[in-house]
Amino acid sequence: MNRIAALLAVALLLAGCLGDSDVDRARMPRFEAPAPASAPRVALVLGSGGPRGFAHIGVLKVLEEAGVHPDLIIGSSVGSMVGALYASGLDAKSLERMAYDINVLEFFEFRLLSGNLATGRAVQDYVNNHVHGETMEKLKIPFAAAAARARDRQLVVFNRGDTGLAVRAASASPGQFEPVTIDGEKYVDGDEASPVPIHAARLLGAKVVIAVDVSAYEQDTPPGVPAEWVEKDARRAKQVRAEAPEADILIHPNIGYFAGHNEEYRRRVIAAAERQTRAKLPEILAALAK
């Protein structure tokens, strides 16, 4: 038992010693304004939502089948993870297979056993492994990750540098993950500033914006849920409503209130998002035809 305890202590110590980033300065996530001539025609905006983000795959499946190919993908939180993987060249069917195979234990950190917040390094490594270490500017589709600056919750967009680190910062949900330090500044989940970063897509020059909101419908809130959940849902809904008029299409599938991790949940939310996107397809095609 003493040997096991010693090994566990070492593992906890090593986990606690992981730096916020171990990337070269040249790969540090940053923003570079795109040239006006390269402004995207169609931007796909993928929103926050944790496990609810599996629904983004259903949207991608339908858009792909319809021949709708974004020139820019921008995402907050889990939307940045799905967006980065898709931007790397993985098609919707590949993402769906990955969704059914993913094991949440891949993201477990030993430091959680001692009550510490997760570092998110597992998220960074997962993304970088699947994009084969490519930086954001080298992905097949232009990509941007939306994070929030920790000190003032202002939106910050990364479109250059280490893809996994940018996604890690954009997904660092307060209370679950430590803030992520990039070039001396701390960042947290993009959900805090812009759950569905529609305005940022417009600022990047998009002519047509297709946005996906996977958050719960406020009217579906069951009685007895914690007050902080209600407050967070209300804050998120308000932020989305403020940006929604800038989207040509807003896809908001009703995938239920409670999120889950098992395969049945993943299949259900992907299917629900497919149905909603098919229903919106005439509007999407009309917007693209303008």
Side-chain angles (χ1 to χ4, degrees), residues 104-188:
V104 294
L105 291 178
E106 293 181 64
F107 303 97
F108 177 79
E109 298 181 27
F110 280 110
R111 69 196 330 267
L112 297 173
L113 297 175
S114 59
N116 292 310
L117 298 176
T119 66
R121 183 56 188 259
V123 172
Q124 178 179 338
D125 291 343
Y126 180 87
V127 171
N128 278 339
N129 286 340
H130 286 285
V131 304
H132 306 293
E134 295 284 15
T135 54
M136 286 178 276
E137 63 270 27
K138 292 185 178 178
L139 298 178
K140 290 181 171 59
I141 302 172
F143 167 75
R149 197 164 52 202
R151 58 184 165 86
D152 57 9
R153 295 303 197 260
Q154 289 299 302
L155 182 69
V156 174
V157 173
F158 298 115
N159 63 356
R160 296 288 187 274
D162 191 281
T163 305
L165 181 55
V167 170
R168 174 183 171 189
S171 307
S173 180
Q176 295 179 293
F177 293 91
E178 293 180 340
V180 177
T181 301
I182 296 175
D183 204 19
E185 188 76 67
K186 291 187 182 295
Y187 297 94
V188 295

